[in-house]
Amino acid sequence: MTFPIIDDTDAIIPQPAQRLPELRQAVATVAPSLLSEFFEEMQNAFTRAGEEDSVVPIRMFYRKWAVTVAIERCPATAHQLREAEQAVNDKDPRVRDEAIHTAGEIVRAAHREVEGV
């Protein structure tokens, strides 16, 4: 595996703002198979926010899906993450360690990108 970078030249769409309409449209565009999960988690986040009288669950929901979009909007990065996730189950401990490292780098890079939007 190569060092993961979220490369905008490969991006299907620009990174959206962390607001519901933009994130919903982005998920529909780059990962439509995740829409049902998106809506279920959205409902849970808003319910928890009401129960806890806190916006934190909503902010966590936005952050999680912004990171998901940051990865999924770049097909090569998304593919690399899926390969790493599969390699975590390899019998070779070196392959597992590299996969864990690669997956972690991709997710950290996505978090850094989201922080910059």
Side-chain angles (χ1 to χ4, degrees):
M1 292 179 197
T2 59
F3 185 78
I5 297 175
I6 295 183
D7 182 4
D8 272 19
T9 61
D10 168 61
I12 297 169
I13 61 170
Q15 181 64 31
Q18 291 185 50
R19 294 187 302 259
L20 188 57
E22 290 90 339
L23 287 173
R24 179 179 48 233
Q25 182 59 47
V27 172
T29 301
V30 301
S33 65
L34 298 178
L35 273 174
S36 62
E37 182 180 345
F38 175 88
F39 287 119
E40 182 178 330
E41 289 185 13
M42 178 185 68
Q43 183 64 45
N44 291 339
F46 280 85
T47 299
R48 283 189 54 216
E51 292 170 353
E52 298 171 12
D53 194 26
S54 171
V55 297
V56 171
I58 296 169
R59 288 186 179 167
M60 290 172 50
F61 165 79
Y62 287 162
R63 178 63 177 246
K64 178 205 177 200
W65 285 98
V67 167
T68 299
V69 168
I71 294 166
E72 293 296 328
R73 72 190 191 90
C74 300
T77 302
H79 178 74
Q80 190 176 23
L81 179 59
R82 283 189 270 289
E83 283 184 337
E85 289 171 338
Q86 290 177 359
V88 168
N89 296 318
D90 197 280
K91 293 180 182 183
D92 185 340
R94 290 178 301 213
V95 171
R96 286 194 310 266
D97 288 347
E98 184 178 341
I100 290 167
H101 176 77
T102 298
E105 286 296 318
I106 291 170
V107 171
R108 282 188 293 277
H111 276 277
R112 285 191 299 273
E113 180 176 336
V114 165
E115 288 169 4
V117 172

